């Protein structure tokens, strides 16, 4: 599972709307290799909690979210100083994801991005989302998420729509060493 280089701003692939993956292609070797390589890439990324396919140069509707996002929720997103040491986190795979609901209630929090190093933006995101997607085994899922995990989903979904924190941030702030990036 080789790591792939993370594409950085201003690469045009980050500003393109990504293409859906035909469900019958999910098991195909190139898609499975992409998922495996993205898992290796995210595992090696310092402070990465999510990674979207356009961030490795592939404009398809696929992203990963690390189980670390759940751990951050259990602990509280603001107490990032107490971030767990890097572990071999499970990575959830979201293929052709679609929000079916987003709460009107939003919350602002500083957010970073592996493709926009050295910048953290204060981004308003819905507190709760309901999402439908396919996993890497071709299984369909639908469920609700809240808090930090919901934030990461919205950040990664933005990548599939060619949007970056630069397009969303109300304010840009100096990053601290422990902000979680996607
Ligand atoms: Zn990002």
């Amino acid at each position: 599972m080789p790591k792939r280089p993370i594409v950085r701003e201003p690469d045009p692939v980050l500003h393109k709307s990504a293409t859906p993956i035909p469900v019958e292609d999910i098991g195909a070797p190139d898609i499975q290799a992409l998922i495996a390589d993205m898992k290796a890439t995210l595992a090696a990324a310092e402070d990465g909690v999510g990674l979207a396919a356009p961030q490795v140069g592939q404009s398809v509707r696929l992203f990963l979210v690390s189980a670390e996002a759940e751990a951050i929720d259990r602990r509280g997103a603001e107490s990032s100083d107490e971030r767990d040491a890097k572990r071999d986190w499970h990575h959830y795979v979201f293929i052709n994801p679609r929000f079916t609901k987003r709460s009107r209630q939003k919350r602002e929090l500083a957010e970073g991005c592996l493709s926009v190093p050295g910048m953290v933006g204060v981004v308003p995101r819905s507190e709760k989302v309901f999402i439908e997607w396919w996993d890497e085994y071709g299984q369909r899922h639908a469920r609700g998420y809240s808090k930090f995990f919901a934030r990461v989903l919205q950040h990664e979904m933005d990548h599939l729509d060619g949007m970056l924190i630069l397009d969303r941030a109300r304010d840009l702030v100096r990053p601290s060493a422990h902000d979680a990036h996607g």
Side-chain angles (χ1 to χ4, degrees), residues 50-52 55 112-116 155-156 159 163-165 181-182:
L51 185 69
Q55 293 182 278
C113 180
L114 294 169
S115 295
V116 191
H155 178 111
E156 301 309 327
H159 276 300
M163 297 275 288
L164 297 174
I165 54 169
H181 293 185

Side-chain angles (χ1 to χ4, degrees), residues 7-54:
V7 170
R8 292 179 170 190
E9 174 69 355
D11 194 301
V13 74
L14 297 171
H15 299 276
K16 257 171 72 172
S17 187
T19 310
I21 296 171
V23 172
E24 62 271 23
D25 290 352
I26 290 175
D30 59 333
I31 295 296
Q32 292 295 313
L34 174 61
I35 292 167
D37 291 356
M38 284 176 64
K39 286 181 175 182
T41 305
L42 181 55
E46 212 179 314
D47 292 341
V49 290
L51 185 69

Side-chain angles (χ1 to χ4, degrees), residues 8-147:
R8 292 179 170 190
E9 174 69 355
D11 194 301
V13 74
L14 297 171
H15 299 276
K16 257 171 72 172
S17 187
T19 310
I21 296 171
V23 172
E24 62 271 23
D25 290 352
I26 290 175
D30 59 333
I31 295 296
Q32 292 295 313
L34 174 61
I35 292 167
D37 291 356
M38 284 176 64
K39 286 181 175 182
T41 305
L42 181 55
E46 212 179 314
D47 292 341
V49 290
L51 185 69
Q55 293 182 278
V56 294
Q58 299 300 309
S59 193
V60 291
R61 300 191 79 81
L62 154 65
F63 61 71
L64 310 183
V65 178
S66 168
E68 186 175 11
E70 294 172 318
I72 288 171
D73 269 329
R74 283 194 294 272
R75 204 173 56 226
E78 274 85 12
S79 59
S80 54
D81 290 346
E82 290 156 46
R83 208 143 181 259
D84 295 336
K86 194 80 187 168
R87 297 214 319 242
D88 288 333
W89 298 102
H90 177 74
H91 295 137
Y92 297 104
V93 178
F94 294 81
I95 297 169
N96 301 339
R98 189 170 74 90
F99 290 130
T100 51
K101 235 192 247 175
R102 271 179 276 198
S103 68
R104 220 168 307 166
Q105 182 159 2
K106 294 194 176 176
R107 191 155 175 219
E108 296 191 333
L109 196 68
E111 216 173 88
C113 180
L114 294 169
S115 295
V116 191
M119 275 211 202
V120 171
V122 178
V123 184
R125 300 282 190 194
S126 293
E127 284 263 41
K128 292 180 187 168
V129 295
F130 203 87
I131 186 170
E132 296 179 352
W133 76 100
W134 303 84
D135 67 18
E136 68 269 51
Y137 310 107
Q139 301 285 319
R140 190 137 198 231
H141 301 270
R143 63 160 283 188
Y145 288 95
S146 62
K147 300 192 286 183

